[in-house]
Amino acid sequence: MSDEWNDLAARVAGHAQNFIDGLTRLAGGEGGDATLPLLLVEVAQVSLAGTQLGAAQDVILQGNVEPALSEDPDIDPLRTALAARLAPVDDYAEVFDPYKDTVVTPYRLSDDLAAVAADLIHGLRHYQAGRPLEALWWWQYSYFNTWGNHAGAALRALQALVAHTRLDVVEEGTTV
């Protein structure tokens, strides 16, 4: 494996681990009133890793087969904690694929964030097992197939929420 692939794998692994750690802390309440803007930062930062994967040439595994891993950890407790923390703003509407499907689809931030986490964790498990090429392959494949869409949708929803909290203010002296 080339130094370029090793460097990319290390960068993505760092972004993935930071995202998982940050998401876990925010789901546990560490963000307080800043949870939404901090989630926006977390999703934007991990999306940078995704765009690097999207710009890289296709990662092809020898034999085109992913080595088996034991079952991934259950992230439902994380999703449930996020759903509880985000309850008033968890549900939103999104267009899944603006080029092929213009139907508005209901989404949940908690589901999106957990889906991103699940895919990143799977790749991290390959990386931590000393298989950086397999990790890159998984992260790239799942970026195009799953987590890139969920991260993009969550990013748009979080940006809208943060914008509303900053821009939808009542002017001083105005009665509501």
Side-chain angles (χ1 to χ4, degrees):
M1 191 163 125
S2 73
D3 287 343
E4 183 179 327
W5 284 124
N6 278 322
D7 291 345
L8 179 58
R11 280 195 314 272
V12 175
H15 282 288
Q17 190 63 61
N18 288 341
F19 177 78
I20 301 304
D21 293 346
L23 194 62
T24 301
R25 286 191 306 273
L26 292 169
E30 287 188 31
D33 291 342
T35 296
L36 294 176
L38 290 171
L39 282 171
L40 179 63
V41 170
E42 293 293 343
V43 174
Q45 288 177 336
V46 82
S47 294
L48 171 63
T51 60
Q52 291 173 359
L53 292 164
Q57 71 183 44
D58 288 346
V59 178
I60 307 295
L61 296 179
Q62 186 173 3
N64 211 17
V65 176
E66 176 188 12
L69 287 171
S70 60
E71 191 171 320
D72 285 333
D74 181 14
I75 62 157
D76 199 49
L78 176 65
R79 186 201 59 74
T80 301
L82 287 165
R85 180 123 349 257
L86 299 170
V89 295
D90 200 22
D91 295 315
Y92 70 99
E94 173 70 14
V95 175
F96 181 73
D97 183 338
Y99 292 102
K100 291 185 176 184
D101 180 18
T102 58
V103 175
V104 175
T105 305
Y107 271 57
R108 285 192 179 99
L109 276 170
S110 57
D111 290 343
D112 289 330
L113 297 169
V116 173
D119 282 344
L120 294 176
I121 288 169
H122 186 84
L124 273 172
R125 294 182 64 229
H126 279 301
Y127 186 79
Q128 292 163 348
R131 297 190 300 263
L133 189 64
E134 287 82 352
L136 279 175
W137 172 82
W138 175 259
W139 286 321
Q140 187 180 58
Y141 166 77
S142 61
Y143 172 74
F144 288 124
N145 191 49
T146 312
W147 76 265
N149 180 62
H150 286 286
L155 188 67
R156 286 185 294 279
L158 288 163
Q159 191 277 335
L161 287 168
V162 172
H164 286 301
T165 62
R166 300 286 175 85
L167 300 175
D168 297 349
V169 295
V170 177
E171 290 185 30
E172 194 173 317
T174 304
T175 313
V176 180

